[in-house]
Amino acid sequence: MCSFVNNLDFLKFALNLLQIRVGHGHFKNGLFSRISATNLSGTGGTVVVGPFSKKTATAEEIRNAAFLKFTQQNKGFARKYKYQEKFYLVYPDGSIVENLPDGSADFTLEGYRNFVDPLKRYDRLRLYLCEKSRLCLKKNFSWSYFITLQCFF
């Protein structure tokens, strides 16, 4: 049974749902890097997950959806990894998604998008799954440097 009174209500609801891309990454020589789909390990790539609410989606929801999608689409990933609890959802610099990168507020997709670039489309945002055992906490990372680098990609 549909609870929407009219098409305008449905449109307002649908505009608040979005999909994002989540990749698989790891630390190599102290730097976080994504694992490409053509990597010899056969566990890399990117998946599109969602729909999520831009205001209420949590890092755990996104991590769980990404893990499930990876296991469905990537047989190498499914063979190697059995438990989603062994992963963190991380930003492109390898830091754990708990708050916004500057620590100013709790994580939301809308807040993250506004932090990176308020004009950036949500489907262009990238987050990554990283094994907890391979996580390397970094210090002295400059988000302003990262945002500058994104202009070139």
Side-chain angles (χ1 to χ4, degrees):
M1 178 103 199
C2 183
S3 65
F4 300 107
V5 174
N6 57 37
N7 289 341
L8 185 59
D9 288 341
F10 176 75
L11 185 59
K12 288 177 185 175
F13 172 77
L15 288 175
N16 284 317
L17 298 179
L18 51 105
Q19 294 181 324
I20 63 166
R21 297 185 190 283
V22 178
H24 184 204
H26 64 108
F27 282 87
K28 187 174 183 179
N29 299 327
L31 297 174
F32 184 77
S33 63
R34 67 183 182 87
I35 301 173
S36 70
T38 59
N39 186 293
L40 295 177
S41 70
T43 63
T46 304
V47 294
V48 177
V49 293
F52 297 110
S53 167
K54 60 185 171 184
K55 295 185 186 292
T56 61
T58 65
E60 186 176 349
E61 286 178 289
I62 297 169
R63 182 201 66 188
N64 294 344
F67 183 86
L68 180 63
K69 190 87 174 246
F70 263 112
T71 56
Q72 291 171 345
Q73 291 188 349
N74 187 323
K75 299 304 177 198
F77 186 93
R79 279 191 298 274
K80 187 171 182 179
Y81 305 111
K82 303 293 182 199
Y83 306 104
Q84 61 198 20
E85 293 79 22
K86 292 187 176 187
F87 284 89
Y88 281 120
L89 188 67
V90 299
Y91 291 113
D93 72 331
S95 61
I96 299 171
V97 175
E98 293 173 329
N99 298 320
L100 292 179
D102 61 358
S104 62
D106 289 338
F107 173 80
T108 62
L109 289 172
E110 184 175 45
Y112 178 52
R113 194 266 321 247
N114 290 336
F115 176 81
V116 173
D117 179 0
L119 301 177
K120 190 171 201 145
R121 292 184 356 223
Y122 285 98
D123 65 344
R124 302 289 295 165
L125 295 176
R126 298 292 185 275
L127 296 172
Y128 295 89
L129 291 177
C130 180
E131 284 180 89
K132 289 181 178 181
S133 62
R134 299 195 64 181
L135 187 69
C136 175
L137 297 177
K138 294 173 56 172
K139 295 180 180 164
N140 300 327
F141 179 79
S142 168
W143 267 97
S144 59
Y145 177 72
F146 170 73
I147 291 170
T148 304
L149 283 178
Q150 276 199 325
C151 295
F152 298 108
F153 295 106

